[in-house]
Amino acid sequence: MGFLEIMEIVVCIFAVYGVYALVCRLLGHGCYKGDLSVAIHKTEGETGDAIHRAIILTEAQNGKMRSPVILLEKTPSAEEEKALRECGCRLYSRIS
């Protein structure tokens, strides 16, 4: 088995495991994320699971990302706004 045949096998193995996906992950992991925020589009009746996932994702970046943003369809009540602000996220509501 020659060098070229071994390289063909290696290329096929990388193709199966997705070199493109691997390179994208490595580049994405090393890129500057200081201007990025995770946004959650919150609708009525939705639980806070998405908010908790966004907070965990942001914390996993070790301070490289800004705090999560919550996008609201309508202006929340005072109690709901207070509860959402306690999680440390920024709130944006639609103006209509």
Side-chain angles (χ1 to χ4, degrees):
M1 186 177 278
F3 178 74
L4 290 177
E5 293 172 335
I6 293 173
M7 289 306 295
E8 289 175 4
I9 293 171
V10 169
V11 167
C12 290
I13 290 172
F14 281 137
V16 171
Y17 286 102
V19 172
Y20 178 75
L22 179 65
V23 169
C24 287
R25 286 226 178 218
L26 289 174
L27 289 175
H29 186 67
C31 289
Y32 177 70
K33 296 175 183 68
D35 295 331
L36 298 178
S37 293
V38 175
I40 302 119
H41 186 233
K42 187 167 179 354
T43 56
E44 279 191 59
E46 187 177 341
T47 61
D49 292 340
I51 297 169
H52 294 298
R53 284 194 307 266
I55 292 170
I56 290 170
L57 177 66
T58 302
E59 289 174 352
Q61 295 297 323
N62 299 323
K64 294 180 192 172
M65 291 179 72
R66 292 183 180 178
S67 61
V69 174
I70 301 173
L71 307 174
L72 303 168
E73 283 294 321
K74 62 177 189 166
T75 305
S77 64
E79 301 87 29
E80 185 180 9
E81 183 177 349
K82 182 180 177 188
L84 289 171
R85 287 196 187 275
E86 285 179 359
C87 70
C89 300
R90 292 186 175 132
L91 301 177
Y92 291 92
S93 60
R94 179 179 287 185
I95 299 174
S96 38

